[in-house]
Amino acid sequence: MRGAKPKPHLQAVREGTYREDRQSPGVRFAPTDPVEPDWELHLPGDGDEDVLVREQAAQAWARVVPVLVVAAGLTDTQRDTALEYCVTWARLVQAERHLSAEGLVVGTERGNVKNPWTTIAHQYRAHFRSLVGELGLSPAAATRLTPPEGGDDDDGVFD
């Protein structure tokens, strides 16, 4: 599809720009808050680094998901995108930690080569940027979102 990405149905309704001939209401999800996943299930492993990755994912969930529930109306049915965001963030932090410890160039039996973690970091960073745009977490993407009704700053969520 060419052109700008279509607005979500609820956003068009809230903004008063909904047109039945141009927009579809799409699927409606039950308004249940997302349940935090079992990080050991999604990020298995017993090593110290595995524990750090799970901690990073859990911290990202605690920081981002409550805000998305209020700001964008994120529901439990849609939690997989938020879960993917948290896993991607945790893996990106892991890659950056390795790059900081090992450097951008590593020595091998064939000589110095680019650290493989640079490629991993690049791929996770690209995926992270797409998820940030999808979830409206960058300043530019946030301007395209309209909070659900009742999602004002006076509801005490951000206090």
Side-chain angles (χ1 to χ4, degrees):
M1 177 187 286
R2 292 173 34 179
K5 198 183 240 185
K7 290 180 184 180
H9 170 73
L10 290 177
Q11 181 179 353
V13 170
R14 284 191 299 264
E15 293 174 356
T17 60
Y18 175 74
R19 286 184 46 181
E20 197 170 312
D21 62 324
R22 292 189 179 179
Q23 295 165 312
S24 165
V27 177
R28 298 210 178 150
F29 299 107
T32 55
D33 287 351
V35 176
E36 184 171 1
D38 178 0
W39 294 111
E40 287 191 37
L41 206 78
H42 295 281
L43 298 164
D46 297 327
D48 291 341
E49 185 165 1
D50 301 315
V51 172
L52 287 173
V53 170
R54 283 193 294 271
E55 287 174 0
Q56 284 293 325
Q59 289 171 7
W61 181 276
R63 183 179 65 246
V64 171
V65 170
V67 174
L68 288 174
V69 167
V70 172
L74 184 72
T75 67
D76 190 57
T77 309
Q78 301 163 318
R79 82 179 188 144
D80 289 341
T81 305
L83 186 148
E84 185 68 21
Y85 170 87
C86 295
V87 169
T88 300
W89 170 255
R91 292 296 187 194
L92 182 55
V93 170
Q94 178 186 23
E96 291 297 336
R97 193 171 35 249
H98 276 276
L99 287 171
S100 293
E102 300 166 11
L104 297 174
V105 177
V106 293
T108 66
E109 55 276 348
R110 293 184 172 208
N112 290 337
V113 297
K114 179 173 80 170
N115 190 328
W117 282 100
T118 58
T119 302
I120 294 167
H122 177 72
Q123 290 169 340
Y124 273 109
R125 190 167 277 111
H127 188 56
F128 182 76
R129 276 193 305 271
S130 71
L131 290 167
V132 163
E134 185 75 22
L135 294 169
L137 295 173
S138 72
T143 63
R144 294 188 297 266
L145 292 180
T146 302
E149 289 180 26
D152 57 7
D153 289 342
D154 296 334
D155 59 7
V157 173
F158 300 110
D159 295 338

